[in-house]
Amino acid sequence: MPLLQPLLPFLFVLLWSTGFIGARFGLPHAEPLSFLFIRYLLVIVLLALLALAARAPWPRDARLIMHLAIAGVLVHGFYLGGVFLAIAQGLPAGITALVVGMQPLLTAASAGWLLGERVTRRQWLGLAAGFAGVALVVSSKINGEVPLGAALLPALVALLAITAGTLYQKRFCPQFDLRSGSVIQFAAAALLTGLAAAASETMVIDWAPEFVGALLWLVLALSVGAISLLNLLIRSGSAVNVSSLFYLTPPLTALIAWLLFDERLTPLALAGFGLAVSGVYLARSTASASK
């Protein structure tokens, strides 16, 4: 693990970036909240079996269970719910990624007040460069007509939720068993999402091969792999350094979309990609000063 530790942030970014691609494949076959509800149920079963097989310790403190549930509702329920609803309502995935990409700035602005973390000038410069890079990448994909209004609201909710969830977990439950603790987090998110889906959707799913493939990828690679990595990164790093990784998601998503769907990367997008990478490097290069 010590040898792999430096690679974990980059593996997280790679997996996290495929979430928008998985949504693009699966959403034509299911309504957004119903899609997420099925995804959460599969994740709960899988993680619960792993926790039982490994005899993982389960939280016994009621306050810890409550904190895990709240963090799960924010990081999984509201964040993923907002992203899926925004894309389903017509907001382009790149614009959705740009909105959520503001999360590091909100986290940096709040970390000092809520967590007592010191944000250096170099980190602020890196965060600003990262945001500018994300804006360049996404602006290169805008054709002049961007659907806003109702479609933008869920993306803004997702932005606030992932910011609040990262800070909340870092503050109130930074240490827990990733297997059993994640079951509690996903169970809380599933309860909220299931109720919302039953109240607002038909919950009819077209079990086409494309949907099944997207569902399995989102369960295994995102909800198990990427979320476990996110919890490890939150545990071992400052909130600012962890949140800066999200700047790489929109550029890498654009690259994956180019490989899978032949979406052209313009010189402006490539320049933005390089600027975003440089910004993340600056924001993360002073980890010891911000802890």
Side-chain angles (χ1 to χ4, degrees), residues 80-266:
L80 289 176
V83 168
F84 273 57
L85 282 170
I87 295 176
Q89 292 180 17
L91 195 66
I95 304 302
T96 307
L98 174 62
V99 174
V100 180
M102 291 190 237
Q103 188 246 358
L105 290 178
L106 289 182
T107 301
S110 305
W113 173 50
L114 295 175
L115 302 179
E117 296 182 2
R118 185 169 68 89
V119 184
T120 67
R121 291 182 179 179
R122 186 173 182 179
Q123 282 181 310
W124 278 115
L125 178 61
L127 292 167
F131 180 77
V134 169
L136 284 178
V137 172
V138 176
S139 66
S140 69
K141 301 177 68 177
I142 299 176
N143 297 321
E145 294 184 2
V146 179
L148 297 176
L152 184 60
L153 181 59
L156 293 173
V157 171
L159 166 64
L160 296 175
I162 191 64
T163 303
T166 300
L167 292 169
Y168 188 93
Q169 182 165 314
K170 183 68 178 178
R171 173 65 177 84
F172 294 105
C173 47
Q175 299 289 337
F176 60 92
D177 187 274
L178 295 178
R179 298 155 296 187
S180 59
S182 294
V183 171
I184 296 173
Q185 289 188 323
F186 278 107
L191 177 61
L192 176 67
T193 303
L195 291 174
S200 61
E201 299 179 351
T202 65
M203 301 191 76
V204 175
I205 295 176
D206 173 21
W207 293 93
E210 190 175 61
F211 173 79
V212 174
L215 177 63
L216 291 177
W217 176 260
L218 291 175
V219 167
L220 298 174
L222 270 294
S223 294
V224 176
I227 292 299
S228 296
L229 288 173
L230 177 61
N231 286 331
L232 284 173
L233 293 169
I234 291 175
R235 176 181 300 180
S236 61
S238 74
V240 173
N241 284 322
V242 173
S243 65
S244 67
L245 293 171
F246 286 91
Y247 269 141
L248 294 180
T249 300
L252 192 53
T253 299
L255 178 61
I256 297 173
W258 171 68
L259 293 173
L260 293 180
F261 308 116
D262 197 28
E263 294 184 3
R264 187 169 58 91
L265 286 173
T266 65

Side-chain angles (χ1 to χ4, degrees), residues 1 21 32 47 50 55 66 82 102 111 130 140 145 150 241 244 262 278 285 288 290:
M1 285 302 295
I21 305 301
L47 288 178
L50 289 175
R55 297 184 179 181
M66 180 192 67
M102 291 190 237
S140 69
E145 294 184 2
N241 284 322
S244 67
D262 197 28
S278 301
S285 62
S288 60
S290 62

